[in-house]
Amino acid sequence: MRLNRNELSKAVKAALSISAVAAMCAAGSAFAQNAGDQSDQTPQTLQTITVTGSHIRQSELSTAQPVVSVTQADIQKQGFTTVADILQNLTVSGTPAISRQAVLSSGESVGGYYIDIHNLGAERTLILLNGKRLGVTEDGIADLQQIPVSAIERIEVLKDGASAIYGSDAIGGVVNIITRNRFTGAEVSAYVGQYDENSDGTAQTYGMTIGARGDKGSVMLTAEYGKQEPVWTRDRWFSKYPNGPYHPKDGWTLVSQWGLFFNYNYFTYAPYTPGLCSSAYCTPNHDGSAFNPYDPNSYHPTDFAAGSTDRTNTNLDYMLQTALEHKSLFTSATWDFNDHLHFQSDILYNHRDTFVHLAGYPFNPGFSLPGEPLGPSTSIALSPDSYFNPIGSGPLSDGEGQTIYFYRRGWEMPRVSNNVLNTYRIGGTLSGDFNIGDHNWNWDVGGYSNINDALVTSSGNLSLVAAKNALGPSWFNPATQRVECGSAANPIPYGGIPGACIPWNPLYPNGTVGEGSLTGHPDLQRYLAPIYHDTGRVQSTEYSANITGPLFTLPAGDLALAFGVEYRQEKGNFEPDASRQGALSTDLSTGPTGGEYTVKSEYLEVSAPLLKDVPFFHSLSLDAAIRHSKYSTFGSTTNDKFSLTWRPIEDLLLGGTIAHGFRAPQIADLFGGLSGTFDSYVDPCDLRNSAGSNPEVAARCTSGFGGQPGVPAGFQQLGQGNTPCASFPCQTNVAFLAGANPNLQPEKALSRTAQIVYSPSWIPESWGRLDVSVDYFDIMVTNAISGDTVSAILNDCYVLGIASRCSSLLFKRDPTTGVVTYALRGGRNAGALHTKGYDLGVNYMFPHTPIGQFRLAFAGTYWSAQESKADNAPDTPFVSFNGLDANFRYRANLNLDWSLGPWGATWTTRYYSGFREDCSYDKVNGGPECQLPDHISNGSLTPQRQLGSTTFNDLQVRYLIKPINATISVGANNVFDKFGPVIYGNARTVITPYYAGFDIGRFYYVRYLQKF
């Protein structure tokens, strides 16, 4: 379905206007005629629940564990259609490492939807489906896109550590997606939306749920199809330029679609005689005039100025948000053998296809075939024997026999990829109950198998073999009247099949058609940039048995316990294309990943009521749990949890927990192969960074430290094109390496929470109903498994003075230029993460009024600390990132819901506090964007800029067509078309100066729900 420009937005604007008028008329009519009309909806008490966070079945739903529940009705009142988007708007959510804006990410996780609770990382949030683990990638993160929203009954989020209950990964929190059970009837839904600006990003979701129930069993089937079109960086004011609208000329690269050619030997610096132009660097004319690659007048000296026409703005050809399509099928069935024996099963299939588009690859002289050291005789460049070389030895050249080295972006061959993930899941549980005396016990045995099959199909990266042949010797074949590879004496067949060749003339700029040019020659493009295939599979299998019930009765109630055993196997592999494994393309080299591990677990959980119905103790209970897990990779770990719940009066609940948790290293952490990576990093030895303001850092840099050579005076970090970086982080010009560590140990975590829930019953019903909750959380992760970064390695070495981080195994500098020429980063158990703060919830149901029923819900999260530690040394300080780089100190949501008869409306306000980031411009002089030039961070002068808070507002108006039981909703997310600030630091995506968690425009939508 393709909507015309502004077609949907105009329709929704009109619908919102008409709905508002109709709703006001309905309210006025009700006020005039039915002042005593009452809604049939009853108030609901805000309370914590134990469906998620305990294996014990209890009639008392309130415990000391902080749980947030999002129901299907709540989902229908939002303008979001995926589980991840819904959860991302919870105030406790942080920014996942991979989002739809992370277009430069690679691997099987790209295209998925992930959630991060308490800003500790998506890998530290456990995802459950009906209480069982959802299948994960090799990185150990679960894609929430697998679950069709139409099948969901509710989503429960436990904001607490729960490794003693569920095992690994339950550190930051637990998300339990609970599907509908024993559903009867049918529902059909349709959702269509698009952004107001440029009418792009069109999203469509269609779902159907049908269920039937008999005397013995039930069956339910949900099918869902969704499609989201891309948004391009060129179509947003904040992303059109690499460093934002305030610096539109900065960040452009010299590796352009026009090409840049050297008038000297790139490796020996010997000048060419004669050259292509009167400068050391030449660029083909690209002003629309006639171009002749053999005429020196067709070239001009390269203009290095920022934003010059010889540079290129690659943001004109990137996606801001990727395109996505998914197809889901979920079915569940139950069968009751008798009143005490039941069977339940579910089957899930999901197909996810993510399309990514990047600007063409920046080809440069830094490539040679594997096994050949880079140098004058091996670098892939235009051969002196090429027919196209104007200063080589070909028939049209001057006979000097000189190689031409060049930069040239393959603009005609954009890097595109289809990331396909197929999920297959089947599970079954046999459950029952029995009596021991007066006590009823429940048991279950079951298991599941979850398979994620990944296929990544990509093109746009150059084959090094093809490039070397295409730029090698070539001749004009009079018989075919074309230039062909080889020579008359040793011809090479023409074509793109193995053993054949198509010659390439890189001197032609983009848009110019000529012999051997990329423009207008699709056969040459396909030859140079073939299609690559990466495949992967992760299979998760688990078997479990559980039993729970009351052991005996105490004066305050039953002492209940739960006991269970589990066996789980995780098996995965990822096979990059052979060209990537062999470093035979310009794509990042990647080794294969493959491995498996098993874990056996036993847990015991006890709930003991201590006091009940005595003065100051309406109830008092203690819960305890312990789990022992044995891994085939690192050994055993034991974790516990203790919770105390106290109700001094019925209206007030006080509680707290203390829990030990862990996160086991995943398949990619342990068995991943070495991969190439063009990291963006900050070199503190650049005089514009730490070395420019801290004499200790300057001394370590210039004199050498930890075995590293010193850098020359005035050193500046070099980026693409070997030119000084204009802003930071800056992308390296040579490929670094990233890999796994088979010796990793599990992370450890200590979680402490406290809770107050107050629901005053003394408030008269005529005043409404109020519920207030305050949650305190304090989570410390030690022995953290972290993917190292080049910035962190260099910072630890030179700024913090940690000599072990200066090892030549981690990075090397050129002893003459000081440039980092090699870096290896892998996983490590080092340092710690710490986060603590408060969650506040207020839920107020207004009294019934003649103009409708109003409900107000407020949720806010305040982080009093977010900090990390670089290593395990006792004297290494914690470094705070609270309020820095979009790690917000405070997030809040305010929701106002109104209903009157068939009409309803919801207004939602989403608030993000301001934050700071390191200055990227005019650090020394403190330019206009550097409001805090004298800021001291961790003992060093670190100029920073302060960014203000951001607020987004959403509106939905809905109408229930009672005769046919259908609801139509129209709405707008970000109704005021608000944008967040332009940013330059670590919070930005690689190519976009904007925080990935912010809205990128006003989004209109229409939803239709039909119930039968």
Side-chain angles (χ1 to χ4, degrees):
M1 179 177 180
R2 179 70 179 176
L3 298 177
N4 295 328
R5 181 177 177 83
N6 289 327
E7 182 178 301
L8 178 63
S9 62
K10 290 179 179 178
V12 175
K13 287 178 184 177
L16 283 172
S17 300
I18 294 171
S19 299
V21 173
M24 286 188 291
C25 292
S29 175
F31 182 77
Q33 300 177 26
N34 294 302
D37 181 42
Q38 298 291 317
S39 169
D40 59 358
Q41 294 177 317
T42 57
Q44 294 181 357
T45 301
L46 177 68
Q47 58 184 3
T48 54
I49 55 179
T50 59
V51 175
T52 299
S54 175
H55 292 288
I56 296 176
R57 296 191 178 188
Q58 298 178 356
S59 58
E60 175 60 61
L61 295 180
S62 295
T63 72
Q65 302 188 86
V67 179
V68 174
S69 181
V70 181
T71 67
Q72 179 66 223
D74 297 328
I75 295 171
Q76 293 297 325
K77 294 178 182 179
Q78 301 182 32
F80 306 103
T81 60
T82 68
V83 176
D85 285 338
I86 294 163
L87 295 176
Q88 189 61 47
N89 284 294
L90 296 178
T91 61
V92 294
S93 297
T95 303
I98 299 178
S99 69
R100 287 188 65 202
Q101 293 187 34
V103 294
L104 287 182
S105 300
S106 60
E108 63 172 312
S109 298
V110 175
Y113 282 74
Y114 310 99
I115 190 67
D116 167 9
I117 303 298
H118 283 137
N119 233 12
L120 288 172
E123 67 275 18
R124 297 181 184 93
T125 298
L126 178 63
I127 309 298
L128 305 176
L129 177 61
N130 295 321
K132 305 293 185 181
R133 288 174 176 265
L134 194 62
V136 297
T137 67
E138 292 176 342
D139 298 317
I141 55 179
D143 179 13
L144 293 167
Q145 180 62 44
Q146 302 175 60
I147 310 302
V149 174
S150 302
I152 296 173
E153 177 180 307
R154 66 185 184 276
I155 305 169
E156 296 175 350
V157 180
L158 173 65
K159 304 177 295 180
D160 194 5
S163 287
I165 307 298
Y166 299 112
S168 177
D169 310 333
I171 292 178
V174 179
V175 175
N176 190 10
I177 302 168
I178 300 170
T179 58
R180 293 174 168 179
N181 188 25
R182 299 181 185 270
F183 175 84
T184 59
E187 286 186 2
V188 177
S189 62
Y191 171 99
V192 180
Q194 68 178 193
Y195 287 102
D196 185 29
E197 185 173 358
N198 296 298
S199 299
D200 55 13
T202 300
Q204 307 171 65
T205 303
Y206 307 97
M208 179 195 70
T209 300
I210 185 170
R213 183 176 179 181
D215 293 338
K216 286 290 188 178
S218 66
V219 63
M220 183 195 77
L221 173 68
T222 296
E224 187 174 274
Y225 170 79
K227 184 177 183 180
Q228 299 182 39
E229 294 184 357
V231 177
W232 297 86
T233 52
R234 59 177 176 262
D235 292 330
R236 292 294 185 274
W237 63 272
F238 58 82
S239 59
K240 186 175 181 179
Y241 304 103
N243 287 324
Y246 311 124
H247 301 275
K249 300 299 183 181
D250 291 348
W252 295 31
T253 177
L254 280 169
V255 188
S256 71
Q257 63 267 42
W258 324 121
L260 182 154
F261 309 100
F262 297 86
N263 252 345
Y264 58 87
N265 188 302
Y266 180 81
F267 293 93
T268 65
Y269 298 96
Y272 287 150
T273 307
L276 290 177
C277 66
S278 59
S279 173
Y281 306 92
C282 310
T283 295
N285 296 339
H286 48 88
D287 55 4
S289 59
F291 180 80
N292 181 354
Y294 308 104
D295 181 3
N297 292 322
S298 286
Y299 303 88
H300 63 270
T302 299
D303 185 354
F304 285 87
S308 75
T309 57
D310 289 345
R311 291 181 178 268
T312 191
N313 175 12
T314 55
N315 279 35
L316 295 177
D317 206 33
Y318 278 110
M319 283 181 177
L320 174 62
Q321 283 191 349
T322 57
L324 177 68
E325 184 177 20
H326 79 275
K327 305 169 185 175
S328 301
L329 186 66
F330 179 83
T331 180
S332 65
T334 64
W335 183 258
D336 300 325
F337 295 98
N338 54 50
D339 292 341
H340 302 285
L341 185 62
H342 320 278
F343 178 75
Q344 181 174 356
S345 68
D346 54 66
I347 299 174
L348 170 67
Y349 167 74
N350 183 70
H351 172 91
R352 187 200 75 209
D353 190 349
T354 305
F355 179 72
V356 181
H357 183 289
L358 310 174
Y361 190 84
F363 194 79
N364 59 72
F367 288 101
S368 62
L369 293 180
E372 297 182 354
L374 195 64
S377 61
T378 58
S379 176
I380 299 176
L382 188 61
S383 167
D385 297 320
S386 169
Y387 183 86
F388 301 132
N389 190 326
I391 57 174
S393 57
L396 297 181
S397 70
D398 61 4
E400 291 290 329
Q402 295 170 330
T403 300
I404 291 183
Y405 300 92
F406 63 91
Y407 293 146
R408 174 65 156 84
R409 186 174 292 274
W411 200 267
E412 300 87 344
M413 306 175 297
R415 288 168 288 171
V416 298
S417 66
N418 278 89
N419 298 55
V420 176
L421 184 71
N422 287 308
T423 299
Y424 311 89
R425 180 185 178 97
I426 183 170
T429 301
L430 185 66
S431 62
D433 67 282
F434 59 90
N435 292 326
I436 299 179
D438 295 332
H439 296 140
N440 183 256
W441 286 70
N442 295 272
W443 61 270
D444 67 79
V445 294
Y448 70 87
S449 178
N450 194 110
I451 296 175
N452 287 334
D453 276 337
L455 172 63
V456 182
T457 304
S458 61
S459 66
N461 277 285
L462 279 66
S463 162
L464 296 183
V465 174
K468 189 173 184 67
N469 291 336
L471 295 168
S474 57
W475 64 295
F476 182 79
N477 187 340
T480 59
Q481 290 293 299
R482 66 189 177 200
V483 178
E484 299 179 0
C485 298
S487 63
N490 295 291
I492 298 175
Y494 185 91
I497 62 175
C501 176
I502 302 176
W504 174 26
N505 186 350
L507 302 178
Y508 278 107
N510 174 58
T512 305
V513 178
E515 185 79 31
S517 69
L518 286 175
T519 301
H521 288 77
D523 291 342
L524 174 59
Q525 296 176 21
R526 285 191 292 268
Y527 173 64
L528 288 174
I531 296 176
Y532 305 100
H533 299 89
D534 304 334
T535 60
R537 165 175 282 200
V538 178
Q539 181 171 2
S540 305
T541 304
E542 181 179 288
Y543 305 100
S544 63
N546 306 278
I547 186 169
T548 178
L551 195 60
F552 51 82
T553 301
L554 298 172
D558 291 335
L559 186 147
L561 64 79
F563 174 76
V565 295
E566 296 174 1
Y567 171 84
R568 179 164 55 92
Q569 180 189 57
E570 299 284 350
K571 180 190 302 184
N573 65 80
F574 187 73
E575 289 288 337
D577 191 276
S579 64
R580 292 182 64 194
Q581 295 190 44
L584 292 172
S585 80
T586 58
D587 202 357
L588 299 175
S589 61
T590 303
T593 295
E596 65 179 273
Y597 66 85
T598 59
V599 55
K600 301 175 182 177
S601 302
E602 311 87 33
Y603 75 87
L604 175 65
E605 186 180 355
V606 179
S607 179
L610 305 178
L611 294 171
K612 184 177 182 181
D613 296 330
V614 298
F616 304 109
F617 290 94
H618 179 75
S619 65
L620 178 68
S621 63
L622 174 67
D623 298 327
I626 188 169
R627 171 182 286 260
H628 174 265
S629 301
K630 184 176 182 180
Y631 280 76
S632 60
T633 48
F634 62 81
S636 298
T637 177
T638 301
N639 297 270
D640 53 44
K641 181 174 184 176
F642 299 92
S643 303
L644 185 68
T645 306
W646 173 36
R647 283 186 179 272
I649 58 175
E650 185 176 4
D651 297 352
L652 179 64
L653 180 147
L654 305 173
T657 68
I658 183 168
H660 291 90
F662 75 103
R663 182 174 80 89
Q666 300 298 311
I667 291 173
D669 298 326
L670 299 168
F671 310 114
L674 280 178
S675 302
T677 170
F678 283 87
D679 284 354
S680 292
Y681 70 100
V682 177
D683 192 334
C685 289
D686 188 308
L687 59 87
R688 296 164 294 175
N689 294 315
S690 297
S693 58
N694 188 316
E696 292 185 10
V697 175
R700 294 185 188 115
C701 291
T702 56
S703 302
F705 183 70
Q708 292 289 342
V711 302
F715 169 76
Q716 292 189 351
Q717 180 181 343
L718 302 184
Q720 285 197 350
N722 273 342
T723 58
C725 297
S727 61
F728 303 94
C730 180
Q731 191 173 33
T732 175
N733 194 45
V734 296
F736 295 155
L737 294 174
N741 183 353
N743 299 315
L744 287 173
Q745 296 297 303
E747 296 179 342
K748 298 178 181 179
L750 174 62
S751 173
R752 290 170 290 188
T753 66
Q755 185 179 42
I756 302 174
V757 179
Y758 184 49
S759 303
S761 60
W762 54 265
I763 297 179
E765 185 176 346
S766 59
W767 291 10
R769 183 63 184 267
L770 173 68
D771 302 285
V772 180
S773 67
V774 179
D775 300 326
Y776 168 78
F777 60 89
D778 186 339
I779 305 172
M780 174 71 77
V781 179
T782 56
N783 211 37
I785 300 172
S786 58
D788 217 349
T789 68
V790 178
S791 290
I793 293 171
L794 298 177
N795 190 77
D796 291 349
C797 173
Y798 294 102
V799 178
L800 300 181
I802 303 173
S804 61
R805 295 284 276 165
C806 306
S807 168
S808 60
L809 296 176
L810 297 177
F811 73 96
K812 295 179 182 179
R813 290 189 182 273
D814 185 287
T816 302
T817 66
V819 174
V820 177
T821 57
Y822 163 86
L824 171 63
R825 56 178 177 83
R828 59 177 185 148
N829 289 110
L833 286 171
H834 180 218
T835 181
K836 67 177 179 179
Y838 303 87
D839 297 325
L840 172 63
V842 179
N843 192 342
Y844 180 61
M845 178 178 286
F846 290 83
H848 295 283
T849 70
I851 60 173
Q853 174 72 66
F854 293 88
R855 292 177 177 83
L856 183 69
F858 173 85
T861 299
Y862 173 77
W863 280 270
S864 58
Q866 295 182 85
E867 55 188 0
S868 63
K869 186 178 176 182
D871 59 31
N872 295 329
D875 57 344
T876 300
F878 274 91
V879 176
S880 174
F881 56 90
N882 197 24
L884 185 67
D885 292 329
N887 294 291
F888 306 101
R889 287 182 180 271
Y890 185 62
R891 284 188 60 182
N893 291 340
L894 181 65
N895 181 282
L896 178 62
D897 187 74
W898 166 80
S899 60
L900 177 64
W903 288 95
T906 301
W907 184 279
T908 302
T909 298
R910 297 173 279 129
Y911 173 84
Y912 300 80
S913 65
F915 60 93
R916 293 170 291 107
E917 66 173 5
D918 292 349
C919 294
S920 294
Y921 290 94
D922 204 359
K923 283 187 172 184
V924 176
N925 299 317
E929 295 178 16
C930 195
Q931 308 102 320
L932 306 172
D934 300 323
H935 183 268
I936 302 296
S937 177
N938 302 308
S940 300
L941 177 63
T942 309
Q944 291 187 338
R945 59 190 295 255
Q946 178 69 50
L947 298 98
S949 61
T950 304
T951 302
F952 301 104
N953 291 275
D954 309 328
L955 171 64
Q956 183 192 95
V957 178
R958 55 193 176 273
Y959 181 74
L960 172 63
I961 309 173
K962 288 185 177 181
I964 60 173
N965 198 19
T967 302
I968 185 167
S969 306
V970 293
N973 295 337
N974 191 12
V975 67
F976 295 129
D977 201 22
K978 174 73 175 180
F979 291 91
V982 171
I983 59 179
Y984 304 104
N986 294 330
R988 62 176 289 171
T989 59
V990 175
I991 61 171
T992 306
Y994 197 69
Y995 172 57
F998 282 161
D999 292 20
I1000 61 171
R1002 179 167 44 219
F1003 188 86
Y1004 289 107
Y1005 66 90
V1006 177
R1007 175 186 279 124
Y1008 181 83
L1009 176 64
Q1010 176 70 64
K1011 296 183 179 181
F1012 300 95

